[in-house]
Amino acid sequence: MPLPDNISLGYVHLRVPDLSKSTLFYENILGLKVSLQDGDTVYLGAGENDLVALTEHPGASYYPRRSGLYHFALLVPSRRDLGDFLRNLVDDETPLQGFADHLVSEAIYLSDPDGNGIEVYRDRPRSDWEYRDGKIKMATDPFDFDGVIAQSQVGADWHGLPGGTTLGHMHLHVGDLQSASAFYQDLVGFDLINADYPGARFLSAGGYHHHLGINTWNGVGAPPAPEDAVGLRYFSVVLPGEEPLAALRARLNLAGTQFKEREGGFLVNDPSGNGINFTCQRDQRSV
């Protein structure tokens, strides 16, 4: 059973070794604002939306060649917003990992102080997307740096990512594409959008270019990261009401998939140990 067309992603929850250091990065470089601090967890967002939660785990370490976060992607409302973000990065001399024009979007890549991958991007209008044999055309083409930065407001103070910024998609390392695809397509209900990239697949609901990317670029059979690892705790998928949430719960029960009930939804791990919080409450916060 496919997911409803109007799903959205809520926020991504990360484990970090130094909460103060990470919070400064997410405020000053990424341009988010703290909405709540609850003990050792900080929630940050833009406008009314929480986008990132950080929980401190002193001594948390980076484990290479594991499943887990490849990057999370923040979607800004316009090309001008992307240009404002890029100009601030340039002014601050922030190290970047790369840029890309994906035909459907323009993207900037960087990482936080602990190596968690981040993409900030803007979408082209759906009316401009191209299709081949019924599939959305995507690529990794050169980024129009001059064109994007020219959209920015020269000389204006930057006030962070604007309201309307959302968690546009997640991209995960998995240990096995077949089992991960079976989980996300057959059980959860995402549609397969693109399987043309070696070792990767892209999935979505409602015809979006992707809400989720999965890859085996950390190695086929890459094991889950341990509980003391820097990185992903879970990300949230917001369903439009109790009915689709109950239907997904029933499918998981029928398949014998274990999950943990939480207020407003439930938490489940994919076959590679990546956590997903399914909920119908956008403002749900839980550690």
Side-chain angles (χ1 to χ4, degrees):
M1 180 178 179
L3 288 171
D5 288 351
N6 56 337
I7 71 157
S8 60
L9 302 187
Y11 65 88
V12 58
H13 197 152
L14 305 175
R15 185 183 297 108
V16 297
D18 186 328
L19 187 60
S20 295
K21 180 180 179 181
S22 293
T23 301
L24 283 175
F25 170 86
Y26 281 91
E27 287 182 307
N28 297 335
I29 303 301
L30 206 56
L32 301 181
K33 295 178 175 62
V34 173
S35 60
L36 176 71
Q37 179 157 3
D38 182 7
D40 61 359
T41 298
V42 166
Y43 295 85
L44 304 103
E48 298 180 353
N49 295 327
D50 284 335
L51 299 173
V52 177
L54 307 171
T55 293
E56 185 173 69
H57 189 122
S61 302
Y62 173 73
Y63 288 81
R65 312 294 289 178
R66 302 296 177 107
S67 59
L69 181 70
Y70 180 56
H71 66 240
F72 67 88
L74 299 182
L75 171 62
V76 297
S78 72
R79 199 180 198 218
R80 191 182 81 171
D81 296 320
L82 189 66
D84 289 341
F85 176 69
L86 178 56
R87 182 172 293 278
N88 186 67
L89 295 177
V90 171
D91 289 346
D92 283 353
E93 300 182 348
T94 301
L96 300 176
Q97 294 181 326
F99 307 86
D101 185 330
H102 294 303
L103 303 183
V104 294
S105 63
E106 293 177 298
I108 300 167
Y109 296 92
L110 66 161
S111 67
D112 75 5
D114 301 302
N116 293 304
I118 302 168
E119 174 184 345
V120 178
Y121 73 111
R122 72 100 180 183
D123 276 338
R124 288 190 169 91
R126 287 201 184 198
S127 58
D128 292 344
W129 296 0
E130 297 182 24
Y131 295 80
R132 179 185 296 131
D133 299 326
K135 296 181 179 180
I136 299 171
K137 287 178 62 177
M138 296 173 64
T140 303
D141 288 346
F143 181 85
D144 181 10
F145 186 99
D146 292 338
V148 170
I149 206 164
Q151 295 288 314
S152 66
Q153 303 174 76
V154 179
D157 291 336
W158 190 62
H159 299 290
L161 293 179
T165 299
T166 62
L167 182 62
H169 65 264
M170 293 291 300
H171 198 153
L172 307 174
H173 290 296
V174 298
D176 178 74
L177 276 182
Q178 184 172 353
S179 61
S181 294
F183 174 83
Y184 285 111
Q185 291 178 246
D186 303 337
L187 192 54
V188 173
F190 281 109
D191 298 319
L192 178 63
I193 299 299
N194 189 303
D196 295 336
Y197 283 77
R201 293 178 185 176
F202 298 90
L203 308 103
S204 80
Y208 190 53
H209 56 72
H210 68 296
H211 289 107
L212 179 67
I214 53 176
N215 72 66
T216 53
W217 299 337
N218 263 355
V220 174
E227 286 296 315
D228 65 344
V230 164
L232 181 68
R233 295 188 73 196
Y234 61 81
F235 66 96
S236 58
V237 177
V238 183
L239 303 181
E242 293 284 354
E243 186 175 339
L245 190 68
L248 177 55
R249 184 185 286 109
R251 294 199 298 274
L252 294 173
N253 273 322
L254 187 62
T257 302
Q258 294 185 343
F259 55 90
K260 180 181 179 180
E261 293 286 353
R262 299 156 59 104
E263 182 180 354
F266 53 86
L267 183 69
V268 64
N269 290 334
D270 73 10
S272 295
N274 296 306
I276 313 103
N277 176 44
F278 290 100
T279 181
C280 58
Q281 299 178 8
R282 170 161 288 282
D283 62 349
Q284 183 200 31
R285 293 164 169 163
S286 178
V287 297

